[in-house]
Amino acid sequence: MSAPPTGPGPAVAPRRRTRARTVTVLAGCLILLAAALVAGVRALGQEPTVTLLANWTGTDESNFRDTVLKPFERTHHIHVDYQGSSAESQVLGGDVEAGTPPDVVVLTGPGELAAYARQGQLKPLDDLVPRAGFGASWTTPLDGHTYWFPLKADLKSIVWYPAGTGERQLAEAARDPGQWCVGMGSGATSGWPGTDWIEDILLQRSGPDAYQQWARGVLPWQSTQLKGAWKTWGRLMGAGGNPDLVRRALKTPYENASEPVTRTPRGCTLEHQGAFIRTMDAWKRADGRYVPSARLIPGAKAADAWEVSGDLVALLHATPEATTLIRYLASADAQRAWSVRESGFSVGPGARPAPSDAGAAWHRTLAATLLDDRAVHCFDASDAMPPSVRDAFAEATIEFLAHPDHLDALLRNLDSLRLAPGLTWLQSVCDRTPGTG
């Protein structure tokens, strides 16, 4: 709407211009003063602050800061002192031991969080987070309380391949150990790509019930189901028969495993990896597509069962600033922010995308699978296990690839760890089992 015309009175117009200049100058001074006050308060350490520890660095950290933290700081006028570390578990353990833990932490392992909860380090979130807003596999209760919820989710049980690869080529590649892109290296957490393999093979071959019994510490490592999963993985990787392939897998960092996909001639064709790997340069260049792993795992019988993982938020200090951040991170706005950058997925309230939502086709279909009420979603079993068992499992996958004849001894050792006193096992890792939905 246009402003109505006004008469050009000779005395009025100059006063309006002067008043406008005065208001403009005053507004500018107020803005500068406010900025100076904010800077001064921060410099004096008087601005309300909440400390947050997570494992996101690089691009993930930038996305988290831009899409989640900055809007929170602008809206609530609370500064977030963020620390990102790839050795997050070690950093948190040292901080807890020193008596200086962060206010809020984001960890990938509910098993590790359960141990901290039993030690009295975590605060219940019952009044801060609507448990009904997340599936049962994401907010597993402990002693009747909710201690964590997912901020960023990921889908596993998938195999990536380059665009243009036909069904017959996929089947042939799956039977050839040399066509699998594998990297077991990951610094202090090396071996976890192998645990993902064994978990998924067990889930697809023996079903969610056996998977859950194992993740709860009930099904023995020396059981027929578990031993079969290890042997199936060994055959897929060429363990015991192709030392060059095994050597390559053991020496390759997981983030570089897909690089041979873009070489000429192609060095590998398939990668069993979580949805996040699609953002790597090699799969971008190869226009990566995916199939459910059940289509390529020998002996798979499970119907629509998926392994999932997530970055879980927990509270260590219930300060007003920290509880405000917890409520925000559980909100639909914060949960939805990850999907905007396609740097992750959300399974929180309001996360279900609208049919008109833009984005890559692979991202939309994977998001729909994560939110599919008809499917069975089981949290990453090793992440749900007590840390001592989880770490030994990861180390055992490396030992097994190098020496598959050591399998019986490795499984006996894992069983002895499973039965150790004082461990905290979660009672559920799947949102449901077939026939209960």
Side-chain angles (χ1 to χ4, degrees), residues 30 54 60 76 112 132 177 189 197 232 245 247 254 309 354 365 411:
L30 289 173
D60 280 342
H76 297 280
E112 190 171 354
T189 59
W197 257 115
T232 298
L245 283 181
R247 193 177 300 111
Y254 80 91
S309 64
T365 56
L411 297 181

Side-chain angles (χ1 to χ4, degrees), residues 241-319:
N242 196 323
D244 290 337
L245 283 181
V246 170
R247 193 177 300 111
R248 182 180 74 181
L250 294 177
K251 288 185 174 182
T252 301
Y254 80 91
E255 63 267 31
N256 297 338
S258 54
E259 288 181 357
V261 167
T262 58
R263 294 176 187 165
T264 305
R266 184 175 291 152
C268 59
T269 304
L270 308 174
E271 184 170 16
H272 178 272
Q273 191 54 273
F276 75 91
I277 208 71
R278 180 57 175 78
T279 62
M280 297 291 185
D281 287 341
W283 283 118
K284 287 180 181 178
R285 295 197 301 271
D287 190 14
R289 312 297 172 88
Y290 73 92
V291 293
S293 60
R295 288 174 51 182
L296 300 178
I297 289 176
K301 301 173 184 175
D304 212 8
W306 302 85
E307 185 180 8
V308 298
S309 64
D311 296 284
L312 309 174
V313 182
L315 178 67
L316 291 94
H317 292 138
T319 66

Side-chain angles (χ1 to χ4, degrees), residues 107-128:
L107 281 175
T108 58
E112 190 171 354
L113 289 172
Y116 281 119
R118 281 283 168 82
Q119 295 169 17
Q121 297 289 343
L122 303 187
K123 307 302 180 186
L125 305 179
D126 305 324
D127 298 329
L128 300 175

Side-chain angles (χ1 to χ4, degrees), residues 17-68:
R17 286 195 295 270
T18 302
R19 190 175 295 130
R21 283 197 299 270
T22 302
V23 170
T24 301
V25 171
L26 179 59
C29 290
L30 289 173
I31 291 172
L32 291 174
L33 179 60
L37 286 172
V38 170
V41 168
R42 284 192 177 177
L44 293 172
Q46 295 177 349
E47 184 183 38
T49 298
V50 57
T51 55
L52 172 63
L53 172 66
N55 65 350
W56 299 312
T57 58
T59 302
D60 280 342
E61 178 182 344
S62 298
N63 288 341
F64 182 54
R65 287 183 180 275
D66 292 343
T67 63
V68 180

Side-chain angles (χ1 to χ4, degrees), residues 37 68 90 94 159 170 197 201 274 284 305 338 369 405 416 423:
L37 286 172
V68 180
Q90 291 79 5
V159 173
L170 282 177
W197 257 115
I201 292 172
K284 287 180 181 178
W338 285 107
T369 299
D405 56 320
S416 67
L423 298 181

